[in-house]
Amino acid sequence: MKLDPSAKYVLDRLRGAGFPAWAVGGCVRDSLLGAEPADWDVCTAALPEQTAALFERVARTGEKHGTVTALLDRPIEITTLRTEGAYLDRRRPSGVSFTGDIRADLARRDFTINAMAWSPEDGLVDPFGGRDDLAAGVLRCVGVPKERFSEDALRILRALRFISRLGFEAEPETDRAMRECAPYLKEISVERVYSELLGVLRGKHVDAALLGYPEVVTAAVPELAPTVGFAQHSPHHIYDVWEHTVRAVAAAPEDEAAVRLTLLLHDMGKPSKYRMDETGRGRFRGHGAAGAEMAEACLRRLKTDRETREEVTTLVKIHDEPLPDTEAGMRRLLAKLGERQVRMLIEVKRADGSARAPASAESRLQRLSEGEALLERVLAQKPPLTAAELKIGGAELMELGVPSGPEMGRILEALLGETLDGTLKNERGPLLARARELINE
Ligand code: ATP
Ligand code: MG
């Protein structure tokens, strides 16, 4: 086990003061997997007061539950060993009591692969067979799965997150309990649900996770329920709306959370917009706009930050519109969305396109690469995309006698519009001449 230097310092310091201490949870799991742990957690028999006294700088946010964060090269969370009382409200334990027993602390943890501890003195402490499950790729609750998910339903989404990240399979009893207890997710705070949902979406094995557990996903995002099994009756599609959705999510880059979130929601408007045409083909006219409305409501309910909500909603709305095929059209799109969002739109369309029937995917992806080439060509010309980038501004217009205010705004917008269209050059002379004409209009 390769200990992080800050974690090693914490373990040494606690042991030196006579308190048993272990690295615990995710860092042990990830180390055994040969992966770099995202953060290092330590548990100890020392009480929070005793822990805090051993380090120069600490943050004491989670003190109620016995957590002290030592502020070292990297912050290390140090938690006093504890057991939890019964869960009465399916959210939090009725009480927490400190213990000196590492096994008792590990027993309250969610999955065997997360219920291991390690110290230089004891080596691996693994009372529930976490190491074997890790080697076999098995996700297994500590204790009776149904009880553990009834205590805290967020664990179901955590399970899905580990399945998505690690490609593991839930053992049969854990699998069954995930499905049976999924309705309890409605009782969990939306902030916790949203954050785990993003974790699920970021996984490398997101397709297996989402396709394997539609009842879990739709418990968290009920708006998606009608898409599951919804046949498209279209030559462009070989999957139902849900499977298409999942394959699109999985086709997008793992680190693009907003793009993956967009793809999860992109076709949620399809079931309500379904019509069969004269030839017996499924049509979904207007599903982008309908989906955007649903996505907006859904993201508000999940308390998604405003920037992400607006980005995702816009992308859902226009995901099915073709990209512009002229320079002017591309400039207008850039002015409206900004470069970042146009690039996101391309990622969305690429993933959406690749999850279609092969012939349809091929033609979509072909058109998309033409759109992308057009985007690069337009960006290379560094066109003005906002009024502020025009070669004349408020000062020049004032000299022409335009008062600042709505009139000035109107003229600047008109000038920008014409440069975007390509009918006006972004040069002082032409801009001033055109401004004079606009003043008299
Ligand atoms: P990550 O690498 O994503 O941080 P993690 O396993 O470290 O994964 P954390 O949320 O940081 O996850 O939690 C740390 C540890 O606390 C877990 O490994 C697990 O042992 C325990 N734990 C966290 N949440 C729960 C929960 N809801 N129920 C039971 N145990 C939990
Ligand atoms: Mg962690």
Side-chain angles (χ1 to χ4, degrees):
M1 177 103 169
K2 217 175 104 237
L3 265 186
D4 167 84
S6 298
K8 179 174 180 347
Y9 175 80
V10 167
L11 291 184
D12 290 349
R13 190 99 177 100
L14 284 160
R15 284 273 168 163
F19 301 113
W22 299 263
V24 70
C27 62
V28 178
R29 176 197 68 222
D30 291 346
S31 297
L32 289 173
L33 281 172
E36 184 76 29
D39 44 40
W40 288 80
D41 297 329
V42 164
C43 63
T44 178
L47 297 172
E49 282 303 316
Q50 296 170 317
T51 299
L54 291 175
F55 300 93
E56 219 163 280
R57 290 179 58 228
V58 294
R60 312 184 61 164
T61 41
E63 213 175 330
K64 202 174 70 189
H65 292 127
T67 303
V68 171
T69 301
L71 302 171
L72 304 165
D73 285 345
R74 67 192 299 166
I76 304 289
E77 276 198 7
I78 309 167
T79 307
T80 302
L81 299 177
R82 64 182 207 250
T83 56
E84 292 176 345
Y87 280 65
L88 302 177
D89 63 352
R90 265 210 274 273
R91 250 167 291 222
R92 59 192 87 75
S94 53
V96 166
S97 32
F98 295 141
T99 170
D101 181 4
I102 178 68
R103 277 153 208 275
D105 181 276
L106 294 173
R108 75 176 168 83
R109 293 174 185 268
D110 47 11
F111 306 108
T112 60
I113 60 170
N114 289 344
M116 294 183 275
W118 186 90
S119 74
E121 295 76 13
D122 298 345
L124 190 68
V125 184
D126 178 19
F128 305 106
R131 199 216 302 241
D132 289 345
D133 283 342
L134 207 53
V138 169
L139 191 73
R140 184 192 313 274
C141 284
V142 173
V144 180
K146 238 180 128 166
E147 287 172 13
R148 304 309 311 282
F149 292 145
S150 307
E151 286 172 357
D152 178 2
L154 189 75
R155 290 171 186 154
I156 301 166
L157 271 187
R158 288 176 56 84
L160 205 58
R161 172 157 70 85
F162 292 117
I163 289 169
S164 178
R165 191 206 293 187
L166 304 172
F168 281 23
E169 270 186 40
E171 59 81 30
E173 220 182 311
T174 299
D175 172 275
R176 204 171 323 121
M178 283 173 71
R179 300 174 202 283
E180 275 178 30
C181 299
Y184 300 153
L185 274 169
K186 298 199 168 58
E187 300 167 27
I188 300 297
S189 84
V190 290
E191 290 89 346
R192 295 175 82 203
V193 166
Y194 178 62
S195 130
E196 290 297 338
L197 184 66
L198 288 183
V200 173
L201 289 178
R202 272 194 294 261
K204 190 171 173 186
H205 307 274
V206 65
D207 40 358
L210 297 181
L211 287 178
Y213 295 91
E215 56 276 76
V216 172
V217 184
T218 57
V221 188
E223 293 89 341
L224 286 169
T227 68
V228 179
F230 197 97
Q232 311 209 52
H233 301 291
S234 160
H236 297 301
H237 287 282
I238 46 178
Y239 304 123
D240 67 36
V241 176
W242 171 241
E243 186 166 358
H244 161 74
T245 295
V246 172
R247 304 232 173 253
V249 169
E254 280 159 49
D255 53 355
E256 299 259 14
V259 169
R260 284 196 161 188
L261 182 59
T262 301
L263 287 159
L264 180 71
L265 308 182
H266 81 287
D267 274 350
M268 67 191 341
K270 270 191 169 176
S272 72
K273 285 292 169 186
Y274 179 77
R275 297 285 176 278
M276 186 171 277
D277 70 12
E278 325 68 63
T279 68
R281 248 184 78 177
R283 301 282 180 182
F284 299 95
R285 182 149 304 147
H287 78 274
E293 260 177 51
M294 294 170 76
E296 153 114 61
C298 169
L299 295 172
R300 270 189 200 278
R301 180 172 50 75
L302 291 172
K303 301 212 171 111
T304 307
D305 64 281
R306 202 182 94 180
E307 192 192 347
T308 306
R309 189 186 72 225
E310 290 177 352
E311 262 174 14
V312 169
T313 305
T314 303
L315 291 170
V316 168
K317 187 169 176 187
I318 60 178
H319 78 269
D320 207 35
E321 291 170 16
L323 284 179
D325 56 3
T326 63
E327 292 191 359
M330 187 57 84
R331 280 193 296 268
R332 266 185 250 115
L333 187 68
L334 280 165
K336 196 163 119 199
L337 300 183
E339 180 184 342
R340 176 189 137 79
Q341 222 181 356
V342 171
R343 292 198 183 278
M344 287 170 79
L345 177 64
I346 289 175
E347 293 289 358
V348 166
K349 292 181 78 68
R350 192 195 319 278
D352 184 18
S354 71
R356 300 174 145 244
S360 178
E362 201 183 320
S363 72
R364 286 256 172 163
L365 295 177
Q366 173 59 32
R367 257 182 288 157
L368 205 52
S369 62
E370 287 160 15
E372 232 181 338
L374 178 63
L375 171 68
E376 300 307 339
R377 205 156 65 234
V378 165
L379 284 173
Q381 297 162 0
K382 300 198 190 310
L385 297 173
T386 62
E389 291 166 80
L390 290 173
K391 290 272 163 60
I392 69 167
E396 285 86 348
L397 291 183
M398 263 197 291
E399 273 175 38
L400 295 180
V402 182
S404 63
E407 173 66 358
M408 182 172 284
R410 177 187 74 86
I411 293 175
L412 285 170
E413 278 313 306
L415 294 173
L416 177 65
E418 291 177 22
T419 59
L420 292 171
D421 285 343
T423 54
L424 180 62
K425 278 207 159 70
N426 183 28
E427 287 165 11
R428 277 182 65 88
L431 285 167
L432 285 169
R434 184 69 185 122
R436 280 195 199 93
E437 288 173 16
L438 286 165
I439 291 168
N440 299 322
E441 265 172 24

